[in-house]
Amino acid sequence: MVSRVIPVDPFDLVIFGGTGDLARRKILPGLYRRYCAGQMPEEARIIGAARTEMDAAGYREMVAEAIEEFGGKDACDNLDAFLAKLDYVAIDARGETGWAELQDLMSGKDRIEVYYFSVAPGLFGDLAERLQQWGMAGEECRIVVEKPFGRDLESARALNATLATYFKEQQIYRIDHYLGKETVQNLMAVRFGNMLFEPLWNRQYVDHIQITVAETVGVGGRGEYYDKSGAMRDMVQNHLMQLLCLIAMEPPARFDPDAVRDEKLKVIRAIDPVLPHHLVRGQYEAEEGNEEDAPSYRDAVGNPRSRTESFVALKAHISNWRWHGTPFYLRTGKRMVARSSEITVVFKDTPHSIFAEDAGRHRNVLSIRLQPNEGITLGVTIKEPGPGGMRLVDVPLDMTFAEALGPDGGDQVDAYERLIMDVIRGNQTLFMRDDEVEAAWAWTDPIIQGWEARHDVPKPYDSGSAGPTDATEMMRRDGREWRKVSP
Ligand code: NAD
């Protein structure tokens, strides 16, 4: 199946932090791939703006290296033409350096203007203020802001208020790259484009839902930042919460940004506070025999007394008619046994089995994999083939996109590429609105405050495991099991 590429309108994209890790690893290689796919008009310009002193030629060289290193090089054979679209301004978000030059570059052009804030959140306010001061914060421009969006409700509100001083909500694109994944959007297509699932999508037919985001990496070079954050702030408040919303929300009346975001917001507001015994925190230990390369969490962050969690598992309830009594189990952690992000909808048993006891009893399980091998699998119970009486067995109806959609469908567009193109198209559906972010923090804050008040110490877990045994126990108490974390 050949994917359709619709070129976007001419644009200027300024990447503040254009020399940073995120720009080099994701944004710039992603833009090159969009260029190769024919989505970028000839007039498009990309302007790196960062603190490092360099000229446009130096920036092009840096970007060529980034594309070589982080993928995209083989997307087409037109790197020089892409590099010709690049420019660079050495700028100081907090000072005056570079702003006149940037203003000069941006003036007199009648095209879409996007300012990507790929810098530390402490600079968002400075950038917004400077853009206005230098006459670049026009009503038509758009800004993209990276995570983390606050570290609690108070700071998120303050950040929203600062941005609202200079920009309307319709101009602000808060990025959560999980929402740019093909499968996440397919979740909406599967739910709202088929008659098959929606009638079953409720407390009457669904036993429980699991959302797992497991990473094999540790904190790496982000130790200092991560230790002040932890898995609850870094993963649950944003990524897992967004996935939960898409799974649990009511069908929006239209597939438009505010209709979708209104429904997501209702879900967040309906999630009950989480009880302490429905929460498990963990911290990974060093990998046995490999302590140097895979140190313990505390060694990795250089804080031997750290009480920050690198793992969270929790049981949440949504208080509304659709989901009352159906638990949602969320789990995320670092240094786990495999890298895997998956949403699983476990349906209830059939009300009555007509088959003999020894035929076995099975449940339908819908599994939505975000990574690796994006795709959707539905476990269906059938008769085990062959003679020997009626025995039941589960077979997967598998829709791995790479296989189902052929070479073009398999060549998945990276989440960042898709989201940047959405910004240029002016489509906010896959970006978080101010009230969504605040509602998510309002739910998260008491959990973190509870841990702090109780001086809670995370449970240690082995590197390469599925997390602390307490998480397994929490499920077992409910007569359920976590899905195996497998690649
Ligand atoms: P980085 O430290 O690698 O790069 C920071 C960039 O900001 C550099 O280009 C630097 O020159 C620029 N900068 C710093 N101070 C400046 C100033 N005063 N004026 C102008 N420019 C200045 O950071 P990063 O990893 O690229 O992250 C950028 C943002 O993206 C952060 O908000 C981070 O939380 C977020 N983010 C990063 C990743 C990732 O994978 N790296 C993932 C998700 C979110």
Side-chain angles (χ1 to χ4, degrees):
M1 197 181 295
V2 178
S3 46
R4 269 187 312 149
V5 173
I6 303 166
V8 294
D9 291 334
F11 66 88
D12 284 343
L13 169 63
V14 177
I15 309 173
F16 292 112
T19 59
D21 179 66
L22 182 67
R24 284 184 298 113
R25 272 192 317 118
K26 290 285 180 189
I27 304 172
L28 290 155
L31 286 166
Y32 180 53
R33 286 193 290 269
R34 289 297 88 210
Y35 174 72
C36 290
Q39 198 158 19
M40 207 179 280
E42 277 312 315
E43 307 91 313
R45 291 189 308 166
I46 298 157
I47 299 159
R51 225 169 17 175
T52 321
E53 279 296 337
M54 68 168 102
D55 58 12
Y59 190 57
R60 289 181 187 131
E61 208 171 300
M62 191 212 82
V63 174
E65 280 165 19
I67 291 171
E68 171 90 45
E69 188 177 350
F70 297 112
K73 180 88 171 67
D74 302 332
C76 65
D77 196 12
N78 221 352
L79 186 57
D80 287 342
F82 174 74
L83 295 177
K85 298 184 167 306
L86 300 179
D87 214 327
Y88 182 79
V89 181
I91 209 160
D92 183 1
R94 292 203 159 124
E96 299 309 312
T97 316
W99 287 97
E101 201 185 328
L102 183 63
Q103 185 196 44
D104 207 32
L105 272 174
M106 299 299 286
S107 64
K109 301 273 188 306
D110 182 21
R111 49 176 63 183
I112 296 163
E113 283 173 30
V114 178
Y115 299 96
Y116 196 132
F117 292 8
S118 180
V119 295
L123 295 177
F124 292 172
D126 297 291
L127 288 176
E129 191 187 335
R130 292 277 182 296
L131 281 171
Q132 193 198 46
Q133 206 178 314
W134 289 88
M136 286 180 270
E139 292 214 337
E140 296 304 318
C141 81
R142 292 155 204 172
I143 61 163
V144 182
V145 287
E146 265 298 335
K147 76 162 207 178
F149 202 85
R151 56 173 283 107
D152 52 21
L153 177 58
E154 195 186 339
S155 54
R157 270 192 186 141
L159 199 46
N160 277 334
T162 304
L163 296 181
T165 313
Y166 306 102
F167 303 99
K168 291 187 299 229
E169 182 58 29
Q170 292 73 12
Q171 296 177 272
I172 304 171
Y173 291 72
R174 295 176 194 78
I175 207 160
D176 179 337
H177 68 275
Y178 265 66
L179 293 184
K181 289 187 179 290
E182 185 77 15
T183 323
V184 169
Q185 291 168 75
N186 235 315
L187 182 56
M188 286 190 272
V190 166
R191 277 195 66 190
F192 306 130
N194 294 285
M195 196 57 215
L196 204 58
F197 298 107
E198 205 46 30
L200 307 180
W201 212 263
N202 55 50
R203 62 188 301 268
Q204 204 178 340
Y205 297 102
V206 175
D207 178 73
H208 73 278
I209 288 174
Q210 299 185 20
I211 303 177
T212 295
V213 177
E215 299 177 286
T216 49
V217 293
V219 293
R222 296 171 69 216
E224 200 183 327
Y225 158 76
Y226 192 92
D227 203 38
K228 294 194 197 92
S229 169
M232 193 72 198
R233 287 191 174 97
D234 195 50
M235 297 297 286
V236 179
Q237 183 273 342
N238 39 43
H239 303 323
L240 276 82
M241 176 65 83
Q242 288 295 319
L243 299 179
L244 172 69
C245 286
L246 293 175
I247 272 281
M249 72 182 187
E250 296 299 316
R254 294 170 305 282
F255 190 58
D256 81 26
D258 277 329
V260 172
R261 297 185 301 176
D262 286 346
E263 295 306 335
K264 282 164 58 197
L265 178 64
K266 284 184 209 161
V267 173
I268 307 176
R269 289 187 172 157
I271 309 176
D272 289 343
V274 183
L275 303 170
H277 63 283
H278 291 162
L279 280 164
V280 177
R281 302 167 82 209
Q283 216 180 45
Y284 62 81
E285 302 271 51
E287 195 177 292
E288 233 177 88
N290 191 18
E291 288 79 3
E292 204 157 301
D293 290 336
S296 70
Y297 174 84
R298 290 180 172 193
D299 284 343
V301 300
N303 178 3
R305 295 149 75 91
S306 170
R307 290 205 304 251
T308 304
E309 77 286 352
S310 61
F311 173 98
V312 179
L314 62 87
K315 176 160 93 164
H317 280 286
I318 300 177
S319 279
N320 62 19
W321 276 47
R322 185 187 281 263
W323 294 118
H324 178 83
T326 303
F328 287 73
Y329 297 94
L330 275 49
R331 170 176 64 160
T332 182
K334 292 194 171 291
R335 280 255 189 273
M336 289 179 70
V337 58
R339 175 175 172 262
S340 157
S341 300
E342 188 183 58
I343 305 169
T344 312
V345 181
V346 181
F347 289 91
K348 289 188 175 173
D349 289 335
T350 50
H352 162 72
S353 176
I354 62 166
F355 305 109
E357 274 286 295
D358 64 356
R361 202 123 189 237
H362 297 262
R363 283 175 157 188
N364 297 120
V365 174
L366 181 73
S367 140
I368 301 138
R369 282 189 317 280
L370 277 71
Q371 61 190 24
N373 307 324
E374 285 195 63
I376 297 178
T377 310
L378 177 64
V380 177
T381 304
I382 60 160
K383 177 190 167 298
E384 196 175 88
M390 178 61 90
R391 281 185 211 290
L392 304 181
V393 64
D394 280 342
V395 291
L397 285 182
D398 194 343
M399 203 176 70
T400 303
F401 299 145
E403 286 162 20
L405 302 180
D408 289 308
D411 183 15
Q412 299 287 304
V413 175
D414 182 86
Y416 274 96
E417 293 171 45
R418 178 193 317 279
L419 292 173
I420 295 169
M421 290 300 116
D422 276 1
V423 177
I424 291 159
R425 273 192 288 259
N427 185 341
Q428 287 186 306
T429 309
L430 300 175
F431 297 84
M432 289 177 291
R433 209 169 53 190
D434 52 355
D435 47 8
E436 266 185 274
V437 174
E438 291 180 17
W441 280 121
W443 174 80
T444 313
D445 273 5
I447 297 175
I448 296 173
Q449 285 158 4
W451 286 332
E452 283 166 3
R454 294 194 296 275
H455 302 291
D456 188 84
V457 179
K459 300 280 189 289
Y461 62 94
D462 291 340
S463 272
S465 71
T469 47
D470 289 42
T472 321
E473 255 325 292
M474 181 175 80
M475 272 293 210
R476 203 168 287 153
R477 282 200 302 271
D478 290 353
R480 300 187 174 102
E481 274 183 4
W482 288 107
R483 292 267 292 178
K484 194 163 176 274
V485 180
S486 51

